[in-house]
Amino acid sequence: MKDDQLAAREPVATSEKVLERIGHSILSGEFEPGERLTETDLAQRFGVSRSPLREALLRLEERQLIERVPFSGMRVVSLDDRTVDELYEIRGALEGLACRRAAAVITPEQIAELRGVLAQRSRALKSTRGDARQQPTIQDFHILIARISGNRELERMLAGDIWHYMRAQYRRWARARERMDLGHAEHLRIVDALEARDGELAEILMRRHIVASRQELVDAKARAEARGAA
Amino acid sequence: MKDDQLAAREPVATSEKVLERIGHSILSGEFEPGERLTETDLAQRFGVSRSPLREALLRLEERQLIERVPFSGMRVVSLDDRTVDELYEIRGALEGLACRRAAAVITPEQIAELRGVLAQRSRALKSTRGDARQQPTIQDFHILIARISGNRELERMLAGDIWHYMRAQYRRWARARERMDLGHAEHLRIVDALEARDGELAEILMRRHIVASRQELVDAKARAEARGAA
DNA sequence: TTAAGTCAGATTGTACACAATCATGGAGTC
DNA sequence: GACTCCATGATTGTGTACAATCTGACTTAA
C-alpha cells in the first residue's frame, strides 16, 4: 500500500493516470530536461485523447515541471544552476523550520521511526552498492520530519514534485558514495538533536546538511564536466 | 503598465482571461469561502465554453484556491484556523530568509525604494481613513524585499495567490487600524536593519513581524466573534 | 547580400456532443 | 420504523471537429 495517509484514493479518471505517468517519465529522466513535447504525440503515445492529456499538462505546468508558451509549444523544464541554488536555499529554510517545530513535539516512537528509516537506508545502500537510483527512503527521512512537525502545509510543500525533480538531476552526476556516508552521519546528528529536544540545534544542523548536499552537487557536476569535455 | 518585469504578456487566450477573472473573484470575496461552484454555471456566467473554463479551474486547484472531488463537484477553499497558522509559520521562514539574503546585497537605491513604498502606504492610510481594502502597497513591501534578495524562486513563491487569499480573509475582520500603525513601525525597523546590513537582525524582526500579524488576526477574529454571536 | 513580407504547415486553443460517475430521493422489504 | 436497493437527475470526464495563433521557410525587392 502506497497511500501513507489522508485517503490518497486510486486515480479513476484517465487524466489522473496520465498525469502520474508523465510525471514519472519526467522525474525518472525518460523525458530529457528541455525536451520539446507536443500534445498530439503524447496523446498517441499514451493512447488517450488530448482532453485528459491537456489536463495533466496544465497541472504539470503549475507544478513547474514543464513550461508552455501559448500557441507555440511546451518543453520539459530545465533547471539551471542558479535556480537549483535558489531552490536549495528555500528548502533549507523550510526544512529548518520543520526541524525546529518537530523538536518541540516529537515522541520516542517517532524518534525510533526516524532511526528505523536511516537504518533501512543504510542497509539498502550496502546491498545495492551505492546505486542511488534504488533508494526509496532518501527523502522519506526529510518528509517524515516535516510530518512530525505537525505542519501539514509544510509537509505538502516539501513533498512537491519540484524537489524530486531537483534531486533527479543530481543523480545524473552522483555516482560517488562518499557523500552518502557523510549524509548519513549528518542525519544521525539531526536525530540526536531532535531527541534532545534542541530545536535550535536541529534547525542549524539541517540547514548545514542541505548546504552540504548542494555543495556536493556542485562538485559532482564539476567533476563530471571535467571528465567529459573540458 | 502593470507588468513590472519578466515580460508578463497580456493574456490572449480565453482560458487566461477567465482564470484572472475567477481568481480575482475568489480573492476579492465575491465568491464566498466554501461556496460551491459548477462548471456549467460558471461557463454561462462568464460567457465562455467549458473547455477554457476547466483549464482555469484546474490551475486554481493546483494553486489551492479551489477543491475538487471527481465527478462530484468543487468549492472555493475555506482556510481553517489551523491551516492559516501553518501558512503563517511557513511565510515567516520564507520572508526571514528573504531578509537575511537581502541584507547582504541591498543597495542604497533599493533602501530608498523600500522607504518610498512605506511612505506611500502611510499616506494612503491617512487619506482613506484606514480602510484596509484600498491598500495597494501592503504586500508590495514584502515582495520587494524578496526581489532584492535576488532569489527569483523565492519571490515567485511569496507572490503566490494563496498568500493573497490568506490576507483577504484577514481583511474581513480587521477594521481597526492600531495594527496598521504598529506594523508600520515594524516595517521601518526592518528597513533599518537592512540598511545596516544586519541580516540576522532583519530576519528576526521579520519573523516577529509576521508572528505579530498572525496574532492580530487571531485577536480580530475573536473580537468579531464576540460581537457577533457568543 | 540582406531585409522585409507572405504563405503554408504545424501546434495549440475552443466548442460541443456524448459517456462515466456520483448523489439524492423514493419505493420496497424486513 | 429503519434499512437496503434502485432509478433518476445532475455534474464532471472524455472524444472529436474546427478555429486561432505561431513558427519557419520561401520569395521578392532594395
Side-chain angles (χ1 to χ4, degrees):
Chain A
M1 281 302 146
K2 259 288 205 175
D3 39 6
D4 336 84
Q5 57 157 15
L6 286 182
R9 47 176 298 170
E10 211 58 21
V12 290
T14 308
S15 63
E16 302 281 336
K17 286 185 268 189
V18 74
L19 171 62
E20 282 195 358
R21 284 196 61 181
I22 298 181
H24 187 266
S25 295
I26 294 177
L27 263 47
S28 70
E30 187 180 340
F31 292 154
E32 293 288 324
E35 179 175 349
R36 185 141 188 272
L37 303 175
T38 68
E39 296 182 356
T40 314
D41 288 351
L42 288 175
Q44 286 185 345
R45 188 164 184 166
F46 293 111
V48 298
S49 165
R50 273 183 59 211
S51 302
L53 181 77
R54 258 177 89 83
E55 298 201 355
L57 295 176
L58 285 170
R59 288 195 141 93
L60 291 172
E61 186 190 12
E62 287 295 318
R63 298 177 190 179
Q64 296 189 44
L65 288 190
I66 63 177
E67 290 171 334
R68 320 179 90 227
V69 286
F71 294 101
S72 171
M74 99 197 85
R75 62 177 53 190
V76 180
V77 164
S78 179
L79 299 176
D80 57 19
D81 290 349
R82 173 176 175 177
T83 303
V84 172
D85 264 334
E86 294 175 356
L87 288 175
Y88 262 91
E89 203 165 34
I90 294 169
R91 178 119 193 150
L94 293 177
E95 293 222 43
L97 168 63
C99 275
R100 180 153 38 94
R101 302 296 292 173
V105 298
I106 197 167
T107 67
E109 293 77 22
Q110 291 170 327
I111 291 168
E113 196 177 355
L114 281 173
R115 294 200 189 280
V117 168
L118 290 182
Q120 183 184 348
R121 176 168 176 272
S122 187
R123 281 195 303 274
L125 227 165
K126 282 171 187 159
S127 65
T128 62
R129 295 182 187 170
D131 181 4
R133 274 168 302 217
Q134 290 301 327
Q135 303 300 333
T137 55
I138 298 179
Q139 56 257 30
D140 289 354
F141 177 75
H142 295 262
I143 297 294
L144 188 51
I145 291 178
R147 182 171 308 164
I148 292 170
S149 79
N151 189 322
R152 290 174 303 184
E153 291 297 322
L154 182 58
E155 181 189 347
R156 175 207 293 264
M157 210 171 275
L158 288 174
D161 288 333
I162 186 66
W163 310 110
H164 289 74
Y165 189 50
M166 201 179 67
R167 286 170 185 265
Q169 301 218 344
Y170 165 62
R171 289 197 210 103
R172 181 160 309 180
W173 299 300
R175 293 185 205 82
R177 53 175 299 176
E178 309 92 51
R179 173 67 206 149
M180 304 238 165
D181 295 335
L182 283 175
H184 186 65
E186 291 168 5
H187 286 150
L188 285 177
R189 290 176 63 195
I190 290 170
V191 178
D192 290 342
L194 290 175
E195 189 167 19
R197 295 189 169 278
D198 189 340
E200 200 175 347
L201 178 60
E203 176 174 8
I204 292 172
L205 289 176
M206 179 60 90
R207 282 196 189 180
R208 278 198 205 163
H209 169 62
I210 291 178
V211 168
S213 301
R214 166 60 183 151
Q215 190 57 47
E216 171 58 22
L217 190 154
V218 172
D219 294 345
K221 185 179 178 185
R223 282 198 302 270
E225 286 174 346
R227 274 198 310 269
Chain B
M1 283 300 146
K2 258 286 204 175
D3 39 6
D4 337 85
Q5 56 158 18
L6 284 181
R9 47 177 295 169
E10 210 61 19
V12 292
T14 309
S15 63
E16 302 282 336
K17 285 185 267 190
V18 74
L19 172 62
E20 282 195 358
R21 284 196 63 182
I22 298 181
H24 187 267
S25 294
I26 294 177
L27 263 46
S28 70
E30 186 180 341
F31 292 153
E32 293 288 324
E35 180 174 348
R36 186 143 187 274
L37 304 175
T38 68
E39 296 181 358
T40 314
D41 288 350
L42 288 176
Q44 287 186 345
R45 188 166 184 166
F46 293 111
V48 299
S49 165
R50 273 182 61 211
S51 301
L53 181 77
R54 256 178 92 82
E55 297 201 356
L57 295 175
L58 284 170
R59 288 194 140 92
L60 291 172
E61 186 190 13
E62 287 294 319
R63 298 179 190 178
Q64 295 188 46
L65 288 190
I66 62 176
E67 290 171 334
R68 294 163 58 92
V69 285
F71 295 101
S72 171
M74 100 198 82
R75 63 178 53 191
V76 179
V77 163
S78 179
L79 299 176
D80 57 18
D81 291 349
R82 173 176 175 178
T83 303
V84 172
D85 263 335
E86 294 176 356
L87 289 174
Y88 261 91
E89 204 165 34
I90 294 169
R91 178 118 192 149
L94 293 178
E95 294 221 42
L97 168 63
C99 276
R100 181 152 39 94
R101 301 295 293 173
V105 298
I106 198 167
T107 67
E109 292 77 21
Q110 290 169 328
I111 290 169
E113 195 178 356
L114 281 173
R115 294 199 189 281
V117 168
L118 290 182
Q120 182 184 349
R121 176 167 177 273
S122 186
R123 281 195 303 272
L125 228 165
K126 282 169 186 160
S127 65
T128 62
R129 293 180 189 171
D131 181 3
R133 273 167 304 214
Q134 292 299 328
Q135 304 300 331
T137 54
I138 298 179
Q139 57 257 29
D140 289 354
F141 177 75
H142 294 262
I143 297 293
L144 188 51
I145 290 178
R147 181 170 307 166
I148 292 170
S149 79
N151 189 322
R152 290 174 303 184
E153 291 297 322
L154 182 58
E155 181 190 347
R156 175 207 294 263
M157 210 170 275
L158 288 174
D161 288 333
I162 187 66
W163 310 111
H164 289 74
Y165 190 49
M166 201 178 68
R167 287 169 186 266
Q169 301 218 346
Y170 166 62
R171 289 197 212 103
R172 182 160 309 180
W173 300 301
R175 294 185 202 83
R177 53 175 299 175
E178 312 91 50
R179 173 68 206 147
M180 304 235 167
D181 295 334
L182 283 174
H184 186 64
E186 291 168 4
H187 286 151
L188 285 176
R189 290 177 63 195
I190 290 171
V191 178
D192 291 341
L194 290 175
E195 189 167 21
R197 295 189 169 277
D198 190 338
E200 199 173 349
L201 177 61
E203 177 174 8
I204 291 172
L205 289 176
M206 178 59 91
R207 282 195 187 180
R208 276 198 207 163
H209 169 62
I210 291 178
V211 168
S213 300
R214 166 60 183 151
Q215 190 56 47
E216 171 58 22
L217 189 154
V218 172
D219 294 346
K221 184 180 178 185
R223 283 198 302 270
E225 285 175 346
R227 274 197 309 270

